[in-house]
Amino acid sequence: MTSIGGAQMVDWNLAVATATRLVRPGPDISREEARAVVAELRRHAKASEEHVRTFTRMVPEGTEPEDTPVLVVDRAGWIKANVAGFRELLRPLLAKMESRRTGGPGGAVLGAVGGKVTGVELGMLLSFLASRVLGQYETFAPATRDLPASADGGGRLLLVAPNIVHVERELDVDPHDFRLWVALHEETHRTQFTAVPWLRDHLQGEIQTFLDETDVDPMTFLERLREAAQSLSGAGRPEGEQGESDSRSLVDIVQTPAQREVLGRLTAVMSLLEGHGDFVMDGVGPDVVGSVSEIREKFQQRRAQGAGRLDQALRRLLGLDAKLRQYKDGEKFVRSVVEEVGMDGFNRVWTSPNTLPTKAEIAQPADWVARVHRKAES
């Protein structure tokens, strides 16, 4: 464990234990039904490989999809996988914080708070998310005893069975169609990273740049958290006078200017990846998912509405509303580009980091077409 002043910065084991203890139980389902769901999800994940390849015309280079495992997990399994990923991704930042530890008041405060509090807080956030995620392609996934990953140290596809069952029941849709529909989206992400070998390293580099720019002075960080809490709660402001910052997430508020530049690039990439996933789901869907129109309509309504005021507040705090916009904006970008230059023309986006869309180009697809296609043809 990385520590500061003798105290652990993050108690990862406590984070797992807290999240596992607090996460809501899954839907009521018999052991036999659960086995059948797991088996069907695995079949759908396998079938989705060819569907996605044929539609996108993206072929893995070197790393075949079977080299990146498909794991059907419960909520506790999702929590363990994500804690392992966070631990790996944040290792350089925590090492940097340890190297700057001092005997000053900031270090004393952080040391007193310790990794146990941080572990509990992380566990609480993960318990909230663990009941909502249907599937996830883990780009940075170190292999553990219980959770295999690809041979190169990253990559596994997770399908969270209890959440999928919960949502298909909530939406009252055909369960077999819904399971395949979800698998298509997640398989698209696996194809993106297996067919574009440089994409993982590029994302990792951007994330590490973001973390490197983090202000690691403990007192400054605590002050920013205090300001963030006041801003999000509207503390000290008369009713009706909340400003623009009320719509910003905690992540947005604690950024430095340099981090905002990096986040703009990351937002563009994530919008592309998520939008591409939705576009492929809809493109493949009519041929293999009979009730895709009904599923799409009901699922979009669920995305937009959330599950009550507390859920909406937490989504805003964690930046999940921004993720929903990424699906919408990214899908519009992909659809517009494909309509103008075709699938092969769109696939130029995967040529190099220089051909990825900017945040501005996600909103204006014609600008990307002009930059990448018109310039190449002139």
mmCIF file with all atom_site columns, all heavy atoms in Angstrom, residues 61 192-204 269 272 348-356:
data_model
loop_
_atom_site.group_PDB
_atom_site.id
_atom_site.type_symbol
_atom_site.label_atom_id
_atom_site.label_alt_id
_atom_site.label_comp_id
_atom_site.label_asym_id
_atom_site.label_entity_id
_atom_site.label_seq_id
_atom_site.pdbx_PDB_ins_code
_atom_site.Cartn_x
_atom_site.Cartn_y
_atom_site.Cartn_z
_atom_site.occupancy
_atom_site.B_iso_or_equiv
_atom_site.pdbx_formal_charge
_atom_site.auth_seq_id
_atom_site.auth_comp_id
_atom_site.auth_asym_id
_atom_site.auth_atom_id
_atom_site.pdbx_PDB_model_num
ATOM 1   N N   . GLU A 1 61  ? -5.975  -6.746 -34.747 1.00 0.00 ? 61  GLU A N   1
ATOM 2   C CA  . GLU A 1 61  ? -4.598  -6.861 -35.218 1.00 0.00 ? 61  GLU A CA  1
ATOM 3   C C   . GLU A 1 61  ? -3.743  -7.476 -34.119 1.00 0.00 ? 61  GLU A C   1
ATOM 4   O O   . GLU A 1 61  ? -3.414  -6.816 -33.148 1.00 0.00 ? 61  GLU A O   1
ATOM 5   C CB  . GLU A 1 61  ? -4.043  -5.481 -35.592 1.00 0.00 ? 61  GLU A CB  1
ATOM 6   C CG  . GLU A 1 61  ? -4.768  -4.824 -36.752 1.00 0.00 ? 61  GLU A CG  1
ATOM 7   C CD  . GLU A 1 61  ? -4.146  -3.492 -37.119 1.00 0.00 ? 61  GLU A CD  1
ATOM 8   O OE1 . GLU A 1 61  ? -3.019  -3.222 -36.669 1.00 0.00 ? 61  GLU A OE1 1
ATOM 9   O OE2 . GLU A 1 61  ? -4.789  -2.713 -37.843 1.00 0.00 ? 61  GLU A OE2 1
ATOM 10  N N   . GLN A 1 192 ? -12.966 -2.356 -30.563 1.00 0.00 ? 192 GLN A N   1
ATOM 11  C CA  . GLN A 1 192 ? -12.243 -1.095 -30.713 1.00 0.00 ? 192 GLN A CA  1
ATOM 12  C C   . GLN A 1 192 ? -10.793 -1.240 -30.256 1.00 0.00 ? 192 GLN A C   1
ATOM 13  O O   . GLN A 1 192 ? -9.862  -0.779 -30.922 1.00 0.00 ? 192 GLN A O   1
ATOM 14  C CB  . GLN A 1 192 ? -12.941 0.000  -29.903 1.00 0.00 ? 192 GLN A CB  1
ATOM 15  C CG  . GLN A 1 192 ? -14.278 0.451  -30.473 1.00 0.00 ? 192 GLN A CG  1
ATOM 16  C CD  . GLN A 1 192 ? -15.097 1.234  -29.452 1.00 0.00 ? 192 GLN A CD  1
ATOM 17  O OE1 . GLN A 1 192 ? -14.788 1.254  -28.266 1.00 0.00 ? 192 GLN A OE1 1
ATOM 18  N NE2 . GLN A 1 192 ? -16.175 1.861  -29.923 1.00 0.00 ? 192 GLN A NE2 1
ATOM 19  N N   . PHE A 1 193 ? -10.603 -1.878 -29.121 1.00 0.00 ? 193 PHE A N   1
ATOM 20  C CA  . PHE A 1 193 ? -9.255  -1.942 -28.552 1.00 0.00 ? 193 PHE A CA  1
ATOM 21  C C   . PHE A 1 193 ? -8.421  -3.075 -29.143 1.00 0.00 ? 193 PHE A C   1
ATOM 22  O O   . PHE A 1 193 ? -7.192  -2.973 -29.171 1.00 0.00 ? 193 PHE A O   1
ATOM 23  C CB  . PHE A 1 193 ? -9.335  -2.070 -27.027 1.00 0.00 ? 193 PHE A CB  1
ATOM 24  C CG  . PHE A 1 193 ? -9.672  -0.768 -26.359 1.00 0.00 ? 193 PHE A CG  1
ATOM 25  C CD1 . PHE A 1 193 ? -10.988 -0.421 -26.089 1.00 0.00 ? 193 PHE A CD1 1
ATOM 26  C CD2 . PHE A 1 193 ? -8.676  0.137  -26.023 1.00 0.00 ? 193 PHE A CD2 1
ATOM 27  C CE1 . PHE A 1 193 ? -11.310 0.786  -25.491 1.00 0.00 ? 193 PHE A CE1 1
ATOM 28  C CE2 . PHE A 1 193 ? -8.984  1.350  -25.427 1.00 0.00 ? 193 PHE A CE2 1
ATOM 29  C CZ  . PHE A 1 193 ? -10.308 1.676  -25.164 1.00 0.00 ? 193 PHE A CZ  1
ATOM 30  N N   . THR A 1 194 ? -9.048  -4.148 -29.610 1.00 0.00 ? 194 THR A N   1
ATOM 31  C CA  . THR A 1 194 ? -8.270  -5.210 -30.234 1.00 0.00 ? 194 THR A CA  1
ATOM 32  C C   . THR A 1 194 ? -7.927  -4.879 -31.679 1.00 0.00 ? 194 THR A C   1
ATOM 33  O O   . THR A 1 194 ? -6.905  -5.337 -32.207 1.00 0.00 ? 194 THR A O   1
ATOM 34  C CB  . THR A 1 194 ? -9.012  -6.559 -30.168 1.00 0.00 ? 194 THR A CB  1
ATOM 35  O OG1 . THR A 1 194 ? -10.306 -6.433 -30.767 1.00 0.00 ? 194 THR A OG1 1
ATOM 36  C CG2 . THR A 1 194 ? -9.154  -7.024 -28.729 1.00 0.00 ? 194 THR A CG2 1
ATOM 37  N N   . ALA A 1 195 ? -8.759  -4.077 -32.346 1.00 0.00 ? 195 ALA A N   1
ATOM 38  C CA  . ALA A 1 195 ? -8.503  -3.711 -33.742 1.00 0.00 ? 195 ALA A CA  1
ATOM 39  C C   . ALA A 1 195 ? -7.640  -2.458 -33.870 1.00 0.00 ? 195 ALA A C   1
ATOM 40  O O   . ALA A 1 195 ? -7.116  -2.178 -34.949 1.00 0.00 ? 195 ALA A O   1
ATOM 41  C CB  . ALA A 1 195 ? -9.825  -3.496 -34.479 1.00 0.00 ? 195 ALA A CB  1
ATOM 42  N N   . VAL A 1 196 ? -7.504  -1.700 -32.799 1.00 0.00 ? 196 VAL A N   1
ATOM 43  C CA  . VAL A 1 196 ? -6.722  -0.454 -32.815 1.00 0.00 ? 196 VAL A CA  1
ATOM 44  C C   . VAL A 1 196 ? -5.661  -0.566 -31.719 1.00 0.00 ? 196 VAL A C   1
ATOM 45  O O   . VAL A 1 196 ? -5.859  -0.086 -30.594 1.00 0.00 ? 196 VAL A O   1
ATOM 46  C CB  . VAL A 1 196 ? -7.634  0.771  -32.596 1.00 0.00 ? 196 VAL A CB  1
ATOM 47  C CG1 . VAL A 1 196 ? -6.839  2.066  -32.781 1.00 0.00 ? 196 VAL A CG1 1
ATOM 48  C CG2 . VAL A 1 196 ? -8.838  0.736  -33.520 1.00 0.00 ? 196 VAL A CG2 1
ATOM 49  N N   . PRO A 1 197 ? -4.531  -1.197 -32.003 1.00 0.00 ? 197 PRO A N   1
ATOM 50  C CA  . PRO A 1 197 ? -3.544  -1.520 -30.960 1.00 0.00 ? 197 PRO A CA  1
ATOM 51  C C   . PRO A 1 197 ? -3.008  -0.321 -30.197 1.00 0.00 ? 197 PRO A C   1
ATOM 52  O O   . PRO A 1 197 ? -2.661  -0.433 -29.024 1.00 0.00 ? 197 PRO A O   1
ATOM 53  C CB  . PRO A 1 197 ? -2.425  -2.220 -31.737 1.00 0.00 ? 197 PRO A CB  1
ATOM 54  C CG  . PRO A 1 197 ? -3.053  -2.714 -32.998 1.00 0.00 ? 197 PRO A CG  1
ATOM 55  C CD  . PRO A 1 197 ? -4.129  -1.719 -33.331 1.00 0.00 ? 197 PRO A CD  1
ATOM 56  N N   . TRP A 1 198 ? -2.939  0.853  -30.855 1.00 0.00 ? 198 TRP A N   1
ATOM 57  C CA  . TRP A 1 198 ? -2.345  2.013  -30.188 1.00 0.00 ? 198 TRP A CA  1
ATOM 58  C C   . TRP A 1 198 ? -3.318  2.703  -29.235 1.00 0.00 ? 198 TRP A C   1
ATOM 59  O O   . TRP A 1 198 ? -2.927  3.558  -28.425 1.00 0.00 ? 198 TRP A O   1
ATOM 60  C CB  . TRP A 1 198 ? -1.858  3.034  -31.214 1.00 0.00 ? 198 TRP A CB  1
ATOM 61  C CG  . TRP A 1 198 ? -2.898  3.482  -32.206 1.00 0.00 ? 198 TRP A CG  1
ATOM 62  C CD1 . TRP A 1 198 ? -3.090  3.003  -33.465 1.00 0.00 ? 198 TRP A CD1 1
ATOM 63  C CD2 . TRP A 1 198 ? -3.890  4.508  -32.014 1.00 0.00 ? 198 TRP A CD2 1
ATOM 64  N NE1 . TRP A 1 198 ? -4.139  3.657  -34.069 1.00 0.00 ? 198 TRP A NE1 1
ATOM 65  C CE2 . TRP A 1 198 ? -4.646  4.594  -33.203 1.00 0.00 ? 198 TRP A CE2 1
ATOM 66  C CE3 . TRP A 1 198 ? -4.203  5.368  -30.966 1.00 0.00 ? 198 TRP A CE3 1
ATOM 67  C CZ2 . TRP A 1 198 ? -5.706  5.488  -33.362 1.00 0.00 ? 198 TRP A CZ2 1
ATOM 68  C CZ3 . TRP A 1 198 ? -5.264  6.264  -31.116 1.00 0.00 ? 198 TRP A CZ3 1
ATOM 69  C CH2 . TRP A 1 198 ? -6.000  6.314  -32.296 1.00 0.00 ? 198 TRP A CH2 1
ATOM 70  N N   . LEU A 1 199 ? -4.606  2.341  -29.287 1.00 0.00 ? 199 LEU A N   1
ATOM 71  C CA  . LEU A 1 199 ? -5.617  3.093  -28.560 1.00 0.00 ? 199 LEU A CA  1
ATOM 72  C C   . LEU A 1 199 ? -5.443  2.976  -27.049 1.00 0.00 ? 199 LEU A C   1
ATOM 73  O O   . LEU A 1 199 ? -5.580  3.966  -26.322 1.00 0.00 ? 199 LEU A O   1
ATOM 74  C CB  . LEU A 1 199 ? -7.009  2.607  -28.981 1.00 0.00 ? 199 LEU A CB  1
ATOM 75  C CG  . LEU A 1 199 ? -8.213  3.360  -28.411 1.00 0.00 ? 199 LEU A CG  1
ATOM 76  C CD1 . LEU A 1 199 ? -8.131  4.842  -28.745 1.00 0.00 ? 199 LEU A CD1 1
ATOM 77  C CD2 . LEU A 1 199 ? -9.510  2.758  -28.956 1.00 0.00 ? 199 LEU A CD2 1
ATOM 78  N N   . ARG A 1 200 ? -5.121  1.791  -26.570 1.00 0.00 ? 200 ARG A N   1
ATOM 79  C CA  . ARG A 1 200 ? -4.963  1.604  -25.124 1.00 0.00 ? 200 ARG A CA  1
ATOM 80  C C   . ARG A 1 200 ? -3.819  2.457  -24.588 1.00 0.00 ? 200 ARG A C   1
ATOM 81  O O   . ARG A 1 200 ? -3.964  3.149  -23.572 1.00 0.00 ? 200 ARG A O   1
ATOM 82  C CB  . ARG A 1 200 ? -4.718  0.130  -24.804 1.00 0.00 ? 200 ARG A CB  1
ATOM 83  C CG  . ARG A 1 200 ? -4.484  -0.142 -23.317 1.00 0.00 ? 200 ARG A CG  1
ATOM 84  C CD  . ARG A 1 200 ? -4.276  -1.624 -23.057 1.00 0.00 ? 200 ARG A CD  1
ATOM 85  N NE  . ARG A 1 200 ? -4.050  -1.885 -21.653 1.00 0.00 ? 200 ARG A NE  1
ATOM 86  C CZ  . ARG A 1 200 ? -2.860  -1.897 -21.076 1.00 0.00 ? 200 ARG A CZ  1
ATOM 87  N NH1 . ARG A 1 200 ? -1.771  -1.650 -21.806 1.00 0.00 ? 200 ARG A NH1 1
ATOM 88  N NH2 . ARG A 1 200 ? -2.731  -2.146 -19.791 1.00 0.00 ? 200 ARG A NH2 1
ATOM 89  N N   . ASP A 1 201 ? -2.656  2.407  -25.256 1.00 0.00 ? 201 ASP A N   1
ATOM 90  C CA  . ASP A 1 201 ? -1.517  3.190  -24.789 1.00 0.00 ? 201 ASP A CA  1
ATOM 91  C C   . ASP A 1 201 ? -1.802  4.685  -24.852 1.00 0.00 ? 201 ASP A C   1
ATOM 92  O O   . ASP A 1 201 ? -1.358  5.453  -23.985 1.00 0.00 ? 201 ASP A O   1
ATOM 93  C CB  . ASP A 1 201 ? -0.271  2.859  -25.615 1.00 0.00 ? 201 ASP A CB  1
ATOM 94  C CG  . ASP A 1 201 ? 0.268   1.464  -25.314 1.00 0.00 ? 201 ASP A CG  1
ATOM 95  O OD1 . ASP A 1 201 ? -0.069  0.920  -24.252 1.00 0.00 ? 201 ASP A OD1 1
ATOM 96  O OD2 . ASP A 1 201 ? 1.020   0.932  -26.151 1.00 0.00 ? 201 ASP A OD2 1
ATOM 97  N N   . HIS A 1 202 ? -2.530  5.098  -25.887 1.00 0.00 ? 202 HIS A N   1
ATOM 98  C CA  . HIS A 1 202 ? -2.869  6.515  -26.013 1.00 0.00 ? 202 HIS A CA  1
ATOM 99  C C   . HIS A 1 202 ? -3.746  6.964  -24.841 1.00 0.00 ? 202 HIS A C   1
ATOM 100 O O   . HIS A 1 202 ? -3.483  8.014  -24.223 1.00 0.00 ? 202 HIS A O   1
ATOM 101 C CB  . HIS A 1 202 ? -3.595  6.752  -27.331 1.00 0.00 ? 202 HIS A CB  1
ATOM 102 C CG  . HIS A 1 202 ? -4.131  8.156  -27.479 1.00 0.00 ? 202 HIS A CG  1
ATOM 103 N ND1 . HIS A 1 202 ? -3.309  9.252  -27.648 1.00 0.00 ? 202 HIS A ND1 1
ATOM 104 C CD2 . HIS A 1 202 ? -5.414  8.630  -27.440 1.00 0.00 ? 202 HIS A CD2 1
ATOM 105 C CE1 . HIS A 1 202 ? -4.056  10.351 -27.729 1.00 0.00 ? 202 HIS A CE1 1
ATOM 106 N NE2 . HIS A 1 202 ? -5.324  10.002 -27.599 1.00 0.00 ? 202 HIS A NE2 1
ATOM 107 N N   . LEU A 1 203 ? -4.770  6.180  -24.533 1.00 0.00 ? 203 LEU A N   1
ATOM 108 C CA  . LEU A 1 203 ? -5.645  6.534  -23.416 1.00 0.00 ? 203 LEU A CA  1
ATOM 109 C C   . LEU A 1 203 ? -4.888  6.537  -22.099 1.00 0.00 ? 203 LEU A C   1
ATOM 110 O O   . LEU A 1 203 ? -5.061  7.438  -21.269 1.00 0.00 ? 203 LEU A O   1
ATOM 111 C CB  . LEU A 1 203 ? -6.812  5.547  -23.337 1.00 0.00 ? 203 LEU A CB  1
ATOM 112 C CG  . LEU A 1 203 ? -8.094  5.901  -24.083 1.00 0.00 ? 203 LEU A CG  1
ATOM 113 C CD1 . LEU A 1 203 ? -9.133  4.813  -23.863 1.00 0.00 ? 203 LEU A CD1 1
ATOM 114 C CD2 . LEU A 1 203 ? -8.640  7.251  -23.635 1.00 0.00 ? 203 LEU A CD2 1
ATOM 115 N N   . GLN A 1 204 ? -4.051  5.526  -21.911 1.00 0.00 ? 204 GLN A N   1
ATOM 116 C CA  . GLN A 1 204 ? -3.284  5.458  -20.677 1.00 0.00 ? 204 GLN A CA  1
ATOM 117 C C   . GLN A 1 204 ? -2.362  6.673  -20.535 1.00 0.00 ? 204 GLN A C   1
ATOM 118 O O   . GLN A 1 204 ? -2.222  7.236  -19.454 1.00 0.00 ? 204 GLN A O   1
ATOM 119 C CB  . GLN A 1 204 ? -2.470  4.172  -20.626 1.00 0.00 ? 204 GLN A CB  1
ATOM 120 C CG  . GLN A 1 204 ? -1.764  3.959  -19.288 1.00 0.00 ? 204 GLN A CG  1
ATOM 121 C CD  . GLN A 1 204 ? -1.107  2.601  -19.213 1.00 0.00 ? 204 GLN A CD  1
ATOM 122 O OE1 . GLN A 1 204 ? -0.644  2.063  -20.217 1.00 0.00 ? 204 GLN A OE1 1
ATOM 123 N NE2 . GLN A 1 204 ? -1.070  2.018  -18.024 1.00 0.00 ? 204 GLN A NE2 1
ATOM 124 N N   . VAL A 1 269 ? -12.560 11.425 -26.897 1.00 0.00 ? 269 VAL A N   1
ATOM 125 C CA  . VAL A 1 269 ? -12.314 10.011 -27.175 1.00 0.00 ? 269 VAL A CA  1
ATOM 126 C C   . VAL A 1 269 ? -13.418 9.148  -26.588 1.00 0.00 ? 269 VAL A C   1
ATOM 127 O O   . VAL A 1 269 ? -13.929 8.232  -27.251 1.00 0.00 ? 269 VAL A O   1
ATOM 128 C CB  . VAL A 1 269 ? -10.941 9.574  -26.619 1.00 0.00 ? 269 VAL A CB  1
ATOM 129 C CG1 . VAL A 1 269 ? -10.748 8.071  -26.810 1.00 0.00 ? 269 VAL A CG1 1
ATOM 130 C CG2 . VAL A 1 269 ? -9.824  10.329 -27.306 1.00 0.00 ? 269 VAL A CG2 1
ATOM 131 N N   . LEU A 1 272 ? -16.532 9.370  -28.590 1.00 0.00 ? 272 LEU A N   1
ATOM 132 C CA  . LEU A 1 272 ? -16.390 8.561  -29.802 1.00 0.00 ? 272 LEU A CA  1
ATOM 133 C C   . LEU A 1 272 ? -16.631 7.086  -29.497 1.00 0.00 ? 272 LEU A C   1
ATOM 134 O O   . LEU A 1 272 ? -17.418 6.414  -30.186 1.00 0.00 ? 272 LEU A O   1
ATOM 135 C CB  . LEU A 1 272 ? -14.992 8.750  -30.388 1.00 0.00 ? 272 LEU A CB  1
ATOM 136 C CG  . LEU A 1 272 ? -14.594 7.790  -31.526 1.00 0.00 ? 272 LEU A CG  1
ATOM 137 C CD1 . LEU A 1 272 ? -15.415 8.069  -32.774 1.00 0.00 ? 272 LEU A CD1 1
ATOM 138 C CD2 . LEU A 1 272 ? -13.098 7.903  -31.814 1.00 0.00 ? 272 LEU A CD2 1
ATOM 139 N N   . ARG A 1 348 ? -11.331 5.895  -40.781 1.00 0.00 ? 348 ARG A N   1
ATOM 140 C CA  . ARG A 1 348 ? -10.079 6.648  -40.735 1.00 0.00 ? 348 ARG A CA  1
ATOM 141 C C   . ARG A 1 348 ? -9.833  7.240  -39.347 1.00 0.00 ? 348 ARG A C   1
ATOM 142 O O   . ARG A 1 348 ? -8.706  7.624  -39.030 1.00 0.00 ? 348 ARG A O   1
ATOM 143 C CB  . ARG A 1 348 ? -10.099 7.780  -41.758 1.00 0.00 ? 348 ARG A CB  1
ATOM 144 C CG  . ARG A 1 348 ? -9.972  7.330  -43.204 1.00 0.00 ? 348 ARG A CG  1
ATOM 145 C CD  . ARG A 1 348 ? -9.633  8.525  -44.081 1.00 0.00 ? 348 ARG A CD  1
ATOM 146 N NE  . ARG A 1 348 ? -9.708  8.221  -45.499 1.00 0.00 ? 348 ARG A NE  1
ATOM 147 C CZ  . ARG A 1 348 ? -9.461  9.093  -46.458 1.00 0.00 ? 348 ARG A CZ  1
ATOM 148 N NH1 . ARG A 1 348 ? -9.112  10.342 -46.135 1.00 0.00 ? 348 ARG A NH1 1
ATOM 149 N NH2 . ARG A 1 348 ? -9.544  8.749  -47.728 1.00 0.00 ? 348 ARG A NH2 1
ATOM 150 N N   . VAL A 1 349 ? -10.886 7.303  -38.551 1.00 0.00 ? 349 VAL A N   1
ATOM 151 C CA  . VAL A 1 349 ? -10.759 7.849  -37.200 1.00 0.00 ? 349 VAL A CA  1
ATOM 152 C C   . VAL A 1 349 ? -9.779  7.021  -36.371 1.00 0.00 ? 349 VAL A C   1
ATOM 153 O O   . VAL A 1 349 ? -9.152  7.531  -35.430 1.00 0.00 ? 349 VAL A O   1
ATOM 154 C CB  . VAL A 1 349 ? -12.152 7.911  -36.525 1.00 0.00 ? 349 VAL A CB  1
ATOM 155 C CG1 . VAL A 1 349 ? -12.574 6.542  -36.013 1.00 0.00 ? 349 VAL A CG1 1
ATOM 156 C CG2 . VAL A 1 349 ? -12.179 8.914  -35.384 1.00 0.00 ? 349 VAL A CG2 1
ATOM 157 N N   . TRP A 1 350 ? -9.612  5.753  -36.741 1.00 0.00 ? 350 TRP A N   1
ATOM 158 C CA  . TRP A 1 350 ? -8.743  4.855  -35.975 1.00 0.00 ? 350 TRP A CA  1
ATOM 159 C C   . TRP A 1 350 ? -7.303  4.834  -36.499 1.00 0.00 ? 350 TRP A C   1
ATOM 160 O O   . TRP A 1 350 ? -6.500  4.024  -36.050 1.00 0.00 ? 350 TRP A O   1
ATOM 161 C CB  . TRP A 1 350 ? -9.301  3.429  -36.024 1.00 0.00 ? 350 TRP A CB  1
ATOM 162 C CG  . TRP A 1 350 ? -10.760 3.306  -35.724 1.00 0.00 ? 350 TRP A CG  1
ATOM 163 C CD1 . TRP A 1 350 ? -11.736 2.868  -36.580 1.00 0.00 ? 350 TRP A CD1 1
ATOM 164 C CD2 . TRP A 1 350 ? -11.429 3.605  -34.495 1.00 0.00 ? 350 TRP A CD2 1
ATOM 165 N NE1 . TRP A 1 350 ? -12.955 2.873  -35.976 1.00 0.00 ? 350 TRP A NE1 1
ATOM 166 C CE2 . TRP A 1 350 ? -12.807 3.328  -34.680 1.00 0.00 ? 350 TRP A CE2 1
ATOM 167 C CE3 . TRP A 1 350 ? -10.998 4.076  -33.255 1.00 0.00 ? 350 TRP A CE3 1
ATOM 168 C CZ2 . TRP A 1 350 ? -13.747 3.512  -33.678 1.00 0.00 ? 350 TRP A CZ2 1
ATOM 169 C CZ3 . TRP A 1 350 ? -11.941 4.262  -32.252 1.00 0.00 ? 350 TRP A CZ3 1
ATOM 170 C CH2 . TRP A 1 350 ? -13.288 3.981  -32.467 1.00 0.00 ? 350 TRP A CH2 1
ATOM 171 N N   . THR A 1 351 ? -6.954  5.720  -37.437 1.00 0.00 ? 351 THR A N   1
ATOM 172 C CA  . THR A 1 351 ? -5.624  5.685  -38.046 1.00 0.00 ? 351 THR A CA  1
ATOM 173 C C   . THR A 1 351 ? -4.518  6.016  -37.049 1.00 0.00 ? 351 THR A C   1
ATOM 174 O O   . THR A 1 351 ? -3.482  5.336  -36.992 1.00 0.00 ? 351 THR A O   1
ATOM 175 C CB  . THR A 1 351 ? -5.559  6.674  -39.223 1.00 0.00 ? 351 THR A CB  1
ATOM 176 O OG1 . THR A 1 351 ? -6.587  6.353  -40.159 1.00 0.00 ? 351 THR A OG1 1
ATOM 177 C CG2 . THR A 1 351 ? -4.207  6.606  -39.907 1.00 0.00 ? 351 THR A CG2 1
ATOM 178 N N   . SER A 1 352 ? -4.717  7.053  -36.260 1.00 0.00 ? 352 SER A N   1
ATOM 179 C CA  . SER A 1 352 ? -3.700  7.492  -35.301 1.00 0.00 ? 352 SER A CA  1
ATOM 180 C C   . SER A 1 352 ? -4.342  8.461  -34.323 1.00 0.00 ? 352 SER A C   1
ATOM 181 O O   . SER A 1 352 ? -5.476  8.907  -34.545 1.00 0.00 ? 352 SER A O   1
ATOM 182 C CB  . SER A 1 352 ? -2.545  8.199  -36.026 1.00 0.00 ? 352 SER A CB  1
ATOM 183 O OG  . SER A 1 352 ? -2.945  9.498  -36.444 1.00 0.00 ? 352 SER A OG  1
ATOM 184 N N   . PRO A 1 353 ? -3.637  8.833  -33.258 1.00 0.00 ? 353 PRO A N   1
ATOM 185 C CA  . PRO A 1 353 ? -4.196  9.841  -32.345 1.00 0.00 ? 353 PRO A CA  1
ATOM 186 C C   . PRO A 1 353 ? -4.544  11.148 -33.050 1.00 0.00 ? 353 PRO A C   1
ATOM 187 O O   . PRO A 1 353 ? -5.470  11.861 -32.626 1.00 0.00 ? 353 PRO A O   1
ATOM 188 C CB  . PRO A 1 353 ? -3.085  10.040 -31.310 1.00 0.00 ? 353 PRO A CB  1
ATOM 189 C CG  . PRO A 1 353 ? -2.375  8.729  -31.288 1.00 0.00 ? 353 PRO A CG  1
ATOM 190 C CD  . PRO A 1 353 ? -2.390  8.252  -32.719 1.00 0.00 ? 353 PRO A CD  1
ATOM 191 N N   . ASN A 1 354 ? -3.830  11.482 -34.138 1.00 0.00 ? 354 ASN A N   1
ATOM 192 C CA  . ASN A 1 354 ? -4.097  12.737 -34.847 1.00 0.00 ? 354 ASN A CA  1
ATOM 193 C C   . ASN A 1 354 ? -5.430  12.731 -35.592 1.00 0.00 ? 354 ASN A C   1
ATOM 194 O O   . ASN A 1 354 ? -5.937  13.797 -35.945 1.00 0.00 ? 354 ASN A O   1
ATOM 195 C CB  . ASN A 1 354 ? -2.968  13.024 -35.835 1.00 0.00 ? 354 ASN A CB  1
ATOM 196 C CG  . ASN A 1 354 ? -1.663  13.348 -35.142 1.00 0.00 ? 354 ASN A CG  1
ATOM 197 O OD1 . ASN A 1 354 ? -1.661  13.881 -34.035 1.00 0.00 ? 354 ASN A OD1 1
ATOM 198 N ND2 . ASN A 1 354 ? -0.544  13.015 -35.779 1.00 0.00 ? 354 ASN A ND2 1
ATOM 199 N N   . THR A 1 355 ? -5.966  11.541 -35.873 1.00 0.00 ? 355 THR A N   1
ATOM 200 C CA  . THR A 1 355 ? -7.242  11.485 -36.591 1.00 0.00 ? 355 THR A CA  1
ATOM 201 C C   . THR A 1 355 ? -8.439  11.301 -35.657 1.00 0.00 ? 355 THR A C   1
ATOM 202 O O   . THR A 1 355 ? -9.576  11.223 -36.109 1.00 0.00 ? 355 THR A O   1
ATOM 203 C CB  . THR A 1 355 ? -7.240  10.339 -37.623 1.00 0.00 ? 355 THR A CB  1
ATOM 204 O OG1 . THR A 1 355 ? -6.935  9.105  -36.972 1.00 0.00 ? 355 THR A OG1 1
ATOM 205 C CG2 . THR A 1 355 ? -6.222  10.607 -38.722 1.00 0.00 ? 355 THR A CG2 1
ATOM 206 N N   . LEU A 1 356 ? -8.184  11.234 -34.357 1.00 0.00 ? 356 LEU A N   1
ATOM 207 C CA  . LEU A 1 356 ? -9.301  11.225 -33.412 1.00 0.00 ? 356 LEU A CA  1
ATOM 208 C C   . LEU A 1 356 ? -9.992  12.585 -33.429 1.00 0.00 ? 356 LEU A C   1
ATOM 209 O O   . LEU A 1 356 ? -9.337  13.618 -33.629 1.00 0.00 ? 356 LEU A O   1
ATOM 210 C CB  . LEU A 1 356 ? -8.800  10.930 -31.995 1.00 0.00 ? 356 LEU A CB  1
ATOM 211 C CG  . LEU A 1 356 ? -8.261  9.521  -31.727 1.00 0.00 ? 356 LEU A CG  1
ATOM 212 C CD1 . LEU A 1 356 ? -7.624  9.460  -30.345 1.00 0.00 ? 356 LEU A CD1 1
ATOM 213 C CD2 . LEU A 1 356 ? -9.378  8.484  -31.858 1.00 0.00 ? 356 LEU A CD2 1
#
